[in-house]
Amino acid sequence: MSAEKNVPTRILIADDHDIVRQGICAIIAGHQGVEVCGEAADGREAIARARDLKPDIIVIDIAMPLLNGLAATKQITRDFPWIKVLVLSMYDSEQVVHDVLEAGAFGYLLKSDAGRDLITALDALQHDRPFFTNKVSEMVLELFLRRPAGFEGKERALTSREREVIQLVAEGKTTKQIAETLGLSAKTADKHRANLMRKLKVHSVSELVLYAIRNNIVRVGVHLPRAVTD
């Protein structure tokens, strides 16, 4: 975090919609003490730009192509622990809140509240305080108080690599494209997909896609694949 007096806190914005990034930039531009140092349009680019730009805070959307915001957040908080991540999303389900916390995010802001609360959230993170909107705060408290048995669900058993593969499969990528994206051989990529289907007890790519949608690994109605034949 930028600690020197009068040195602005540097913000990286990661969202696959230009208009959202522009809106966040416009909000930040009107306030002292914070500045946008870069932008990213997908999770992989967010990680690369975090490495290159070393921002203090990353504002990141959950649903992005190639690598979703949750998976990117988990890698960023692991590799760059000094960076604080503020997740910005339209989702507010209990499962998503749980996943955001598990990924290591320092704050969670609904997109519908961004115009009102973004600067307040950034100020909180600047001062090493977590930030959650009221509705999300209630969910966080409920999660910690209740902790239901079996809440972890099947997806908790997935490795980071398997989460990457399932997203790419759900986005309609072929085995060759998955291999190229992840730097794997086609044989290894195909093996990952087969292991996923076996672990999740699904028998088709369509079922794998439905699982990805239900667990917010991909956005509903976006990047849905046709029948995948490799």
Side-chain angles (χ1 to χ4, degrees):
M1 192 68 64
S2 297
E4 298 180 29
K5 190 174 181 180
N6 298 324
V7 174
T9 296
R10 302 170 71 249
I11 315 294
L12 172 64
I13 302 169
D15 193 292
D16 59 325
H17 291 100
D18 289 342
I19 192 168
V20 173
R21 297 198 305 273
Q22 291 167 9
I24 295 173
C25 286
I27 294 172
I28 291 175
H31 294 268
Q32 294 183 338
V34 288
E35 67 176 15
V36 175
C37 67
E39 300 180 23
D42 60 63
R44 294 191 181 284
E45 186 180 10
I47 294 168
R49 304 227 73 189
R51 181 180 299 109
D52 295 339
L53 298 175
K54 297 178 174 57
D56 300 304
I57 295 172
I58 297 179
V59 179
I60 192 167
D61 183 29
I62 284 182
M64 293 189 294
L66 296 183
L67 187 69
N68 66 47
L70 288 176
T73 295
K74 186 172 291 188
Q75 186 168 333
I76 288 166
T77 56
R78 182 194 68 204
D79 295 347
F80 318 108
W82 63 89
I83 298 177
K84 290 183 168 58
V85 178
L86 174 66
V87 170
L88 182 65
S89 178
M90 66 181 69
Y91 302 113
D92 62 357
S93 73
E94 194 171 88
Q95 180 65 55
V96 174
V97 172
H98 178 278
D99 289 347
V100 166
L101 293 173
E102 189 178 71
F106 216 70
Y108 185 90
L109 179 63
L110 295 177
K111 284 189 175 181
S112 57
D113 297 331
R116 181 189 65 209
D117 293 335
L118 178 61
I119 296 301
T120 302
L122 294 176
D123 181 69
L125 269 64
Q126 280 180 287
H127 292 88
D128 298 319
R129 299 192 308 268
F131 179 89
F132 302 96
T133 49
N134 290 335
K135 184 175 181 180
V136 174
S137 293
E138 292 172 4
M139 289 184 181
V140 171
L141 179 60
E142 182 70 14
L143 283 170
F144 278 97
L145 290 176
R146 183 155 45 85
R147 305 292 289 185
F151 184 77
E152 294 298 309
K154 290 189 294 184
E155 192 182 349
R156 302 283 74 73
L158 298 186
T159 65
S160 296
R161 176 64 81 197
E162 287 170 337
R163 290 172 65 92
E164 290 177 325
V165 171
I166 195 173
Q167 177 170 354
L168 294 171
V169 170
E171 290 176 357
K173 301 295 190 292
T174 65
T175 294
K176 181 179 178 181
Q177 290 170 328
I178 292 171
E180 291 174 349
T181 299
L182 300 180
L184 305 172
S185 68
K187 183 177 180 180
T188 300
D190 195 52
K191 183 178 179 180
H192 276 304
R193 189 170 72 174
N195 288 342
L196 265 173
M197 295 174 72
R198 182 170 59 253
K199 180 180 285 188
L200 298 176
K201 296 181 171 60
V202 300
H203 307 288
S204 68
V205 170
S206 296
E207 288 181 280
L208 204 58
V209 171
L210 287 174
Y211 178 86
I213 292 171
R214 287 167 181 161
N215 287 276
N216 296 308
I217 296 173
V218 293
R219 185 185 299 114
V220 177
V222 178
H223 307 301
L224 294 185
R226 296 170 292 178
V228 177
T229 55
D230 299 329

